[in-house]
Every structure is written in C-alpha cells, then in structure tokens.
C-alpha cells in the first residue's frame, strides 16, 4: 500500500502554513511501503491534522491524499473499513479507548473485528507483558493512568494486520524505559509484517532507526 | 462475528427506552394479530361459501324476472328478456348454470277426478331438467304418451291445505294423495282440444310454477301453440353464492327481481366484510405506528451511541458490521412476535372451527395459506423498514 501526498494543504491552517517552509505541506511526498518515517513538527503546525488526513477521518484539505494511486474519497465506506482492519493501523494522540470496556476488551474489540483474528489472545498477553501492563488488563480503561492507556492503545494498534502504522506522539506519556520497550515491540511487529510506519513527534529521537525524516 | 458482537453489546446499549420498546412490540403483536384475523376470517368466509363441504348451504337456484312496475304493466312484451339481455345474464361470472323457463302457448284446464268437483284454468312452464329439485323416474314424456308428469310448487298445496280448504270446508290433501290422483288435463289451442291424464310426480320448493317436461312442452307448443314464439320472461340461474354482492347489484342495476329471501344473506355478508375490512384496516394503522416507534427507537439508540459508533467506524468497524449487529438486536424479537401471533391465531381458528362444526359449518381447523403469507409479508415489511432506518442512521453517523 503506497501513500502519496499531492499539494496537501489543510484549509484552516492555510494562511499560517504558507508563511513557513514545510517538507510535507503543499509538496509532492511519496511514502515508500515498508519504510520507517519520522515527521518532526513543532506544536500547531498540523501534526495531528496530517495523521487524520492520512487515516481519512478529516477531510478539510486541498490537494490529494492518494492511496495506491486513488484518492481516499474514491474508496467506499466499507472499503475504508476493510483497509483499517487489514492495511493501516493507528495510535491516536488522544488514544480513543472505550471507557466502558476493560483494557483487554479494548484490545480484543480490535482483534476480533476481523472474523479470523490476526493475533491470538496469548499473543496479546505477551505484548502486554513486554509493555508492563499485564496487571491492568482486567481494569476498566477509565481507571487507567494516561501512560497505561497509551500502552494499551499501542497494543490495540498492533493486533491487526497492517502495511502502515500511523502514530501520533505515541510515547508522550511514557518514561524512557517504557518508551524503549514500546519502540522495540513496534519495530518487531512492523518487521514481522514488512510494514512501515509514520510517526509524528515534537522532537528528534533515537527510538527507531528511521529511514526518512520530514519536517512539517 | 460472535465475540465482536459481544463487545459491541457493551458499547452500543440497546437498553435505552425499554418500556417504549416493549410497548412497540406489543403494538406490533396486536397489529399482526388483527391483520391475520382479517385474512383468516376472509378465508373462513370463503370456505363457508364456496367449499364443497358447505356447498348445499349456499349454492342456489334463482328464478329471475323483470320487475312489473306501473310503467310496464299490461304490456307483455316489456317483461320479456331480449336475446341480448339473456346473453348478458348468461355471461355474468356468478352464473354457474343458466336455463330459460318456457311458458305454454295454449290453454290448460285441470279437473280433479271423481266427486271432488274441482276444476281450474291453469298454465304450464318447463325448465331444463337439471334445474329441477324433484328426482322421480316418472319425470319423462315421450311423444304419444297420454300421461303428462307434472311438478307442482310446494306452496301451491300449502295454500290449498291451509288457506283455501279450511275456509271452503273442503278436505285437506296430503302430498301422497295428490300424487296418486289422476288429474284430467284438457289442453286446447289451434282449434283443437284434447284430454290428457296429469300425474303429479313431485313438489318443488325451488321453482314456483306448474312444470311439465321440456319435451312435452316443445311438442305441445308446436301442436297447440299459436306459432308466434312467446318471449322468455323468466330465467333460472344456478349460482354458487346468492349472497354475492355483485349478483345483488346486477339485479338492481337491471331492474330484475328474484326471491328476495335468498338474497338476504348478502346484507349480512356485506356487514361482516365491512367489519373484517375495518379490523384489517386498524391492524394496518397499528402496524404503521408500531413501525414508526421501532424506527424512532432505532434512531434513539444510534443517536445516543453516536460517539461510540463514530469511534468504532474510526477503528475500522465496517458500517455493514454495525448494521448487521443492530438488526440482530431486533429481528429475533420480530420473529418471536410473528410466531406468537400465528400461534394465537391458530388457537382462535381451532376454537372457531370447533364451534362452527357444531352448527354443521365446516372450516379448516388450521390457519390458511393467506395467514402464513400475511405473517411473512408483515415481517418482511418490518424488516425492510428497520433495515432502511438502520442504514440511513448508521450512514449518517459514521
């Protein structure tokens, strides 16, 4: 699955963004399948907006987001759903867990969305152990700390098949150790799938061996 | 799909407005029952009217003639049916068999034998044999026979026995005696007058006339008749259902008349049909409201879970999955309601059949095919409306 941007420009930020030089906005960008992409951006330059455009949950832009050569708009709702189940996964900045479910149920929901789950329940337990969240799996996600939720959201993103993983400041509430664990897990899972990721963050980091760097 | 739906159950609460939902379910049940009752009563009624088991009760013979009014009184021709009118009657769907009543074109005088001192001017008519309700081997006439078999109306003997004889101090006569009496029949016309022996072979409740075999009538009309064919002024029809409103309307529209007593059932039937239609109509109205409430209920669920549905879709849940899940919450209930209504109706039908059987009216103790079609139809309609609502609102929110 190839993602390609053509003169992408968010309508609400247009005036502001035209005044500064960007590596992504209003440019031709091709994200090569399987590559680890880091997008660094200061606050307010449209980081989350970009991720939402890439995931096709915001549409207020000019230009195009092409997926396998076709603009997102040409995909039907059910096609988009199927892609979100099998080709593209996401860790939202605001996590977006269901508060009425336990941590484990939040992961299972995504896992069994496909009639034939990609991951087994044991595999989920294994990932939870690697991220040190085994003890909170049975808790309601409402009662979790933000850091715990962030790790649950990461596991949720990793239980499905994907070719691209979108991450919006995925380690913002994790300490250094947990960040290392999470990054290692993500790298392993991406390699296992021959998948790439697009990660946005405020600063430079050494969590992954990135293939490409962009400045927003 | 199952574990996913289990989790959806925790996210999309279908429990909101439970009482409203219950009321709508009861409403749907009642609506379904009313519609089914209307269909079933209609089918029962048809069985009573047309089924071979009940045939004797309903199939009937009607003698039809034009109304004699002050306007056409005294003009014989006016009361006769034209060939077009006869064709017209013959072609009506409610006419199963059709026969002309041929009247005699000669004079008839009948005398009782012996000391009875009874003589009267009379007339004969004939109808095709298949319309006659008297079965008797003597009912035949061959050229040369001096004995003419005659069928009298039952009413005629009753009039004599209970009206005339009592007031005139004459003896009452039984049907058997009348059949045993050889009557002197003098037929005259064409300047010939001949005597025959009349033999009463039976009494008819169906046709109020003095009947002779058609073969005799044809022969006698030729021999004694004036030659000009008299018009047909009475016809007899066999109809499967004398209460058929279209028959009654046909008669009224054309100014024809018949034994009104036989048409009386028609009014009852129209009343029953009206009531059944009204019941069915209320059923439909109720169904409409039940569907409205269900639709609103689905809207309510979807609106109250708007955020959850949006997040589910964001995470990759296909709208198809959501729709299937939502429909799955309702459809089993509809099927249960359908089966329950069907069971209640089957019970009612069984009870009705038992009660009617005591009155020698036969209807099937099982619900008719129309009822099953009705259940399927209503369920399909409810399902389609639900699917439409779910579709529209899931698409709106996702």
């Amino acid at each position: 699955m190839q993602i390609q941007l053509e003169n992408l420009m968010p309508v609400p930020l247009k005036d502001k963004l035209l005044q500064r030089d960007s590596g992504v906005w209003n440019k031709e960008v091709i994200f090569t399948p399987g590559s680890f992409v880091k997008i660094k951006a200061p606050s307010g330059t449209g980081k989350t907006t970009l991720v939402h455009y890439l995931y096709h949950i915001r549409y207020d832009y000019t230009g195009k987001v092409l997926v396998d050569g076709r603009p997102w708009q040409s995909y039907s709702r059910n096609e988009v759903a199927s892609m979100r189940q099998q080709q593209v996964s996401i860790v939202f900045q605001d996590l977006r867990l269901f508060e009425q479910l336990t941590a484990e149920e939040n992961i299972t929901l995504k896992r069994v969305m496909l009639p034939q789950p990609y991951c087994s329940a044991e595999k989920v337990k294994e990932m939870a152990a690697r991220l040190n969240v085994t003890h909170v799996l049975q808790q309601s996600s409402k009662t979790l700390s933000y850091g715990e939720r962030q790790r649950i959201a990461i596991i949720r993103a990793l239980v499905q098949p994907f070719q691209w993983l979108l991450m919006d400041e995925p380690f913002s509430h994790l300490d250094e150790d947990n960040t290392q664990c999470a990054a290692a897990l993500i790298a392993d899972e991406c390699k296992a799938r021959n998948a790439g990721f697009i990660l946005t963050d405020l600063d430079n980091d050494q969590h992954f061996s990135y293939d490409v760097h962009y400045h927003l | 799909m199952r574990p996913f739906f289990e989790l959806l159950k925790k996210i999309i609460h279908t429990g909101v407005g439970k009482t409203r939902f219950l009321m709508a379910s009861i409403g749907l049940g009642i609506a379904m029952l009313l519609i089914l009752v209307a269909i079933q009563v209609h089918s029962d009624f048809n069985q009573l009217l047309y089924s071979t088991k009940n045939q004797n009760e309903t199939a009937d013979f009607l003698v039809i003639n034009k109304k004699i009014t002050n306007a056409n009184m005294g003009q014989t021709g006016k009361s006769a049916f034209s060939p077009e009118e006869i064709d017209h009657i013959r072609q009506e769907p409610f006419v199963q068999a059709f026969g002309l009543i041929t009247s005699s074109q000669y004079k008839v005088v009948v005398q009782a034998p012996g000391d009875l001192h009874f003589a009267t001017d009379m007339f004969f008519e004939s109808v095709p044999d298949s319309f006659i309700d008297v079965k008797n081997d003597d009912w035949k006439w061959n050229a040369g026979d001096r004995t003419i078999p005659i069928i009298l109306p039952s009413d005629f003997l009753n009039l004599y026995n209970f009206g005339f004889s009592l007031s005139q101090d004459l003896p009452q006569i039984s049907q058997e005696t009348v059949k045993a009496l050889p009557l002197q029949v003098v037929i005259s016309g064409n300047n010939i007058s001949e005597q025959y022996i009349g033999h009463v072979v039976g009494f008819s409740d169906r046709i109020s006339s003095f009947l002779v075999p058609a073969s005799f009538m044809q022969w006698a009309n030729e021999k004694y008749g004036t030659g000009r064919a008299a018009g047909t002024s009475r016809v007899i029809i066999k109809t499967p259902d004398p209460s058929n409103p279209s028959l009654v309307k046909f008669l009224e529209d054309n100014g024809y008349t018949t034994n009104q007593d036989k048409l009386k059932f028609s009014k009852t039937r129209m009343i029953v049909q009206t009531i059944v239609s009204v019941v069915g109509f209320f059923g439909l109205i109720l169904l409409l409201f039940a569907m409205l409430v269900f639709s609103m209920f689905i809207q309510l669920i979807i609106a109250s879970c708007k955020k959850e549905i949006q997040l589910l879709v964001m995470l990759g849940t296909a709208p198809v999955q959501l729709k299937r899940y939502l429909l799955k919450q309702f459809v089993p209930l509809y099927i249960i309601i359908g089966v329950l209504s069907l069971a209640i109706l089957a019970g009612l039908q069984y009870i009705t059949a038992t009660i009617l059987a005591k009155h020698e009216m036969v209807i099937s103790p099982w619900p008719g095919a129309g009822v099953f079609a009705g259940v399927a139809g209503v369920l399909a309609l409810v399902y389609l409306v639900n699917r439409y609502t779910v579709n529209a609102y899931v698409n709106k929110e996702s």
Side-chain angles (χ1 to χ4, degrees), chain B residues 295-320:
Chain B
S295 297
M296 283 164 59
F297 187 73
I298 291 170
Q299 284 177 35
L300 183 72
I301 288 177
I302 293 175
S304 71
C305 300
K306 190 175 163 176
K307 280 201 174 132
E308 283 81 0
I309 287 176
Q310 281 170 349
L311 180 50
L312 279 168
V313 171
M314 219 177 270
L315 289 175
T317 309
V320 179

Side-chain angles (χ1 to χ4, degrees), chain B residues 98-102 126-132 139 207 214 236:
Chain B
F98 178 90
L100 298 175
I101 298 184
T102 317
S126 75
V127 298
D129 283 353
S130 58
F131 290 94
I132 292 170
W139 182 252
I207 303 164
I236 182 165

